[in-house]
Amino acid sequence: MSNETIKLPDIGSSDEVEVIEISVQVGDSIEVETTLIVLESDKASMDIPSPVAGVVTKVLINEGDKVKEGSPIFEVELEGAATSETEEAKETEVAAEPEPVIAAAEPESSSVEEAPASVGRQEVRVPDIGSSEAVEIVEVSVSVGDQLAVEDGLITLETDKASMDVPSPYAGKLVELSVKEGDKVAEGDLIGYIEVVGAVALQAEAQPQSSAPAASQPATPAAAPAASASAPLASQPEVASGAVTTGKVHAGPAVRLLARELGVDLTQVVGSARKGRIVKEDLQNFVKQVMQQTKATSGTVAAGGAGIPPIPQQDFSQFGKVEEKPMGRLLKAGAVNLHRSWLNVPHVTQFDEADITDLEAFRKSMKAEAEKQGARLTPLPFMIKACALALKAFPQFNVSLGGAGDTLIWKEYVNIGFAVDTPDGLLVVVVKDADKKSVYELARESSELAAKAQNKQLKGDDMKGGCFTISSLGSIGGTAFTPIVNAPEVAILGVSKASMKPVWDGKAFLPRLMLPLSLSYDHRAINGADAARFTAYLAQQLSDIRKMLL
């Protein structure tokens, strides 16, 4: 007998892909199309079939190895190689005797030799899916030009009961795709066409082996494409338990994405499709089981997720008369946003005070002049101006975290939001390009936005695009508070009621009007030292408004 080294065929990619399963061992007898290994790329998992029949003599790879086209994977001792010379001698002897049986044998031998070069364009249709109704395609796992192995997933169908993969009945190149995601298909509908190389050869080689036991071998693609395609859909529960025990899993891209979104470790999920492949239904059932176990152990499912136990409900009417009213739309929306921010943002609050004695004297002296300019000069426009200058001086406060939380988005514009207390709830309106506007312009625009909020005349753009928010309670009272960051912003300034305090100037205590500042910030994006510098800078700007001109 002679040995042959099996190399990895064209898998439709020049990149190396991972070996997630080795299906045969040294000493195993294999036939043509017996699955040797399973590879997994970022798009799909694929089985690599044997191109020859024989006995495995050496395994040249391990699970976890990365391989590409041409990589040696097995050595196989070919069947029938030892007797080839004897058979040739017999054929020569028989050929010398002109018996009709030889004339019949020669064409058969010739067809087997020429068959591997044959190319066939095979159509692929939806197999029996156990339903006469059309079902939706939720995932198309392949694209035109892909090289496919037998059993590679083509599309995923989803009914109201389950998800199911439709595998390829042939090995070859996908040359035409007739469906797309969202289409509805039924049994017999065309999926596409595969260009199959060696289809005739597989038939010819299968004939002499028909008497050999083949119970444990997969049907050849050319012999029974319909049966091969429908096999994974027929009896999904027939998967051996512990199919996923090596840390490697069979799952398509859509299932992996859903698992990441749900935070599910796929190695803990047992797949119900052929060869332990995990489909969406398996993932959903796993999550249901975990939720049921959590409910059984804790008595109830944690409201809002994150493992936080909910506040137990009470019947307050047992203590006296009550009236239950629905939350207003604004109040409900605000509650959701604040809760989300509080759970996701690691809050820290920095406190400071600004001496606004001179600012208040200047503001009051300019009230009449401001009215001539059509502006109502309150402390707010000065605060907006000071915050805009602080964001320019400390650009790390004018950022947002990227979606994955590992990048920062730096903004080159400065839009300042401020909270408005309305009868229906709290609203945050936004002054655009605050760094480019004068105090008078900021006064006019902030007054207009506040009036719109009170009269329910705001447009969507009036509340979008904020970089930083001011929440002022100065007109109401209080000495300090910890505002919640208005995510995706990374900082918010709380302003409390100013009060007269004795301040030491180096020679004596003088009465000064001190304004409490409370800066809450996202500690992922901002460190404590920068927060202290930011509030100190704000205090300097408000203490001496001449610095705003520099």
Side-chain angles (χ1 to χ4, degrees):
M1 291 191 177
S2 63
N3 279 3
E4 179 174 323
T5 300
I6 299 176
K7 296 182 178 180
L8 191 70
D10 181 9
I11 56 174
S13 172
S14 59
D15 297 334
E16 291 187 333
V17 293
E18 185 178 356
V19 178
I20 64 170
E21 182 183 326
I22 297 177
S23 304
V24 296
Q25 299 175 352
V26 173
D28 287 355
S29 293
I30 58 174
E31 302 294 338
V32 175
E33 293 301 315
T34 297
T35 297
L36 300 176
I37 60 174
V38 181
L39 305 178
E40 187 163 76
S41 68
D42 56 351
K43 295 181 178 179
S45 56
M46 61 191 86
D47 295 351
I48 302 300
S50 173
V52 297
V55 177
V56 177
T57 58
K58 194 171 184 180
V59 180
L60 304 176
I61 52 172
N62 299 307
E63 287 189 7
D65 286 354
K66 296 285 186 76
V67 293
K68 61 181 180 180
E69 181 182 353
S71 297
I73 53 177
F74 288 94
E75 286 187 4
V76 176
E77 191 176 73
L78 301 181
E79 284 187 355
T83 59
S84 58
E85 295 180 0
T86 306
E87 290 175 355
E88 284 183 10
K90 289 182 179 179
E91 287 181 4
T92 304
E93 289 179 6
V94 176
E97 302 175 9
E99 294 185 7
V101 69
I102 302 304
E106 286 177 356
E108 183 177 342
S109 174
S110 175
S111 66
V112 173
E113 290 176 0
E114 295 175 0
S118 64
V119 176
R121 181 183 169 94
Q122 301 290 338
E123 65 178 24
V124 181
R125 295 186 177 273
V126 177
D128 180 10
I129 55 177
S131 171
S132 59
E133 298 179 357
V135 294
E136 184 179 355
I137 298 174
V138 297
E139 181 185 345
V140 177
S141 306
V142 294
S143 55
V144 173
D146 285 357
Q147 291 289 340
L148 303 176
V150 176
E151 298 298 322
D152 275 357
L154 298 176
I155 59 175
T156 302
L157 307 178
E158 189 165 75
T159 69
D160 56 351
K161 295 181 179 179
S163 298
M164 60 191 78
D165 290 352
V166 175
S168 172
Y170 306 108
K173 181 179 180 181
L174 184 66
V175 294
E176 186 176 330
L177 189 63
S178 304
V179 295
K180 61 182 183 300
E181 288 187 11
D183 287 354
K184 291 199 171 182
V185 293
E187 180 182 350
D189 286 349
L190 180 66
I191 297 175
Y193 291 90
I194 296 177
E195 191 175 76
V196 182
V197 177
V200 179
L202 295 179
Q203 289 179 334
E205 290 172 3
Q207 294 302 322
Q209 299 168 10
S210 59
S211 61
S216 62
Q217 300 169 8
T220 57
S228 175
S230 62
L233 313 179
S235 57
Q236 293 183 349
E238 294 181 357
V239 178
S241 61
V244 183
T245 57
T246 64
K248 307 294 183 181
V249 294
H250 297 277
V255 174
R256 292 180 181 276
L257 176 61
L258 181 59
R260 287 195 296 269
E261 291 174 349
L262 296 175
V264 174
D265 180 2
L266 283 177
T267 61
Q268 305 298 317
V269 183
V270 177
S272 62
R274 174 166 289 192
K275 299 180 182 176
R277 181 178 172 85
I278 299 171
V279 294
K280 287 182 179 178
E281 185 186 28
D282 301 325
L283 200 57
Q284 292 163 352
N285 290 337
F286 177 81
V287 172
K288 287 179 183 178
Q289 291 174 2
V290 172
M291 295 295 287
Q292 289 171 354
Q293 291 171 2
T294 303
K295 187 173 182 179
T297 56
S298 65
T300 181
V301 178
I308 301 173
I311 298 172
Q313 293 187 358
Q314 290 190 37
D315 179 12
F316 299 101
S317 61
Q318 62 181 315
F319 309 114
K321 187 177 179 180
V322 298
E323 182 181 3
E324 187 171 354
K325 296 181 179 180
M327 293 175 70
R329 182 178 60 84
L330 287 180
L331 190 61
K332 188 183 296 184
V336 171
N337 291 336
L338 291 171
H339 189 222
R340 179 171 56 235
S341 179
W342 184 252
L343 289 176
N344 286 282
V345 175
H347 282 71
V348 181
T349 305
Q350 172 71 26
F351 300 99
D352 208 332
E353 285 185 319
D355 184 346
I356 61 168
T357 308
D358 295 338
L359 185 151
E360 274 297 281
F362 174 76
R363 182 183 70 83
K364 290 176 181 178
S365 70
M366 295 298 295
K367 286 184 72 173
E369 178 66 26
E371 289 176 0
K372 293 178 183 179
Q373 298 288 336
R376 182 168 173 265
L377 207 56
T378 66
L380 179 61
F382 292 96
M383 294 177 197
I384 294 174
K385 187 67 175 179
C387 288
L389 293 172
L391 289 182
K392 297 292 283 187
F394 298 91
Q396 63 267 43
F397 284 77
N398 193 16
V399 303
S400 288
L401 272 77
D406 56 358
T407 60
L408 290 175
I409 300 170
W410 297 76
K411 303 165 189 173
E412 297 182 6
Y413 53 89
V414 178
N415 299 339
I416 305 293
F418 64 93
V420 180
D421 186 22
T422 74
D424 295 324
L426 197 68
L427 287 173
V428 175
V429 294
V430 179
V431 177
K432 306 295 196 303
D433 297 320
D435 58 319
K436 301 176 183 178
K437 296 175 179 175
S438 68
V439 173
Y440 281 156
E441 289 175 311
L442 294 174
R444 283 192 293 268
E445 189 169 342
S446 59
S447 295
E448 290 170 3
L449 287 170
K452 284 184 179 180
Q454 295 288 348
N455 298 323
K456 301 180 180 180
Q457 296 175 341
L458 287 173
K459 297 179 181 178
D461 191 56
D462 294 330
M463 297 181 287
K464 293 179 180 177
C467 304
F468 183 88
T469 299
I470 300 171
S471 180
S472 177
L473 300 177
S475 60
I476 301 173
T479 57
F481 66 105
T482 55
I484 296 176
V485 173
N486 187 22
E489 298 168 15
V490 294
I492 182 172
L493 179 69
V495 180
S496 298
K497 185 177 182 179
S499 61
M500 297 299 295
K501 292 184 177 182
V503 178
W504 180 257
D505 69 348
K507 296 180 181 179
F509 283 102
L510 299 176
R512 307 296 291 177
L513 185 62
M514 305 302 292
L515 180 69
L517 304 176
S518 306
L519 178 75
S520 290
Y521 57 93
D522 186 337
H523 211 343
R524 295 173 298 177
I526 299 168
N527 60 51
D530 285 338
R533 295 186 188 101
F534 187 91
T535 52
Y537 181 89
L538 267 180
Q540 291 171 6
Q541 296 294 316
L542 294 172
S543 298
D544 189 351
I545 59 172
R546 292 173 298 179
K547 292 183 178 179
M548 295 185 185
L549 302 176
L550 301 178

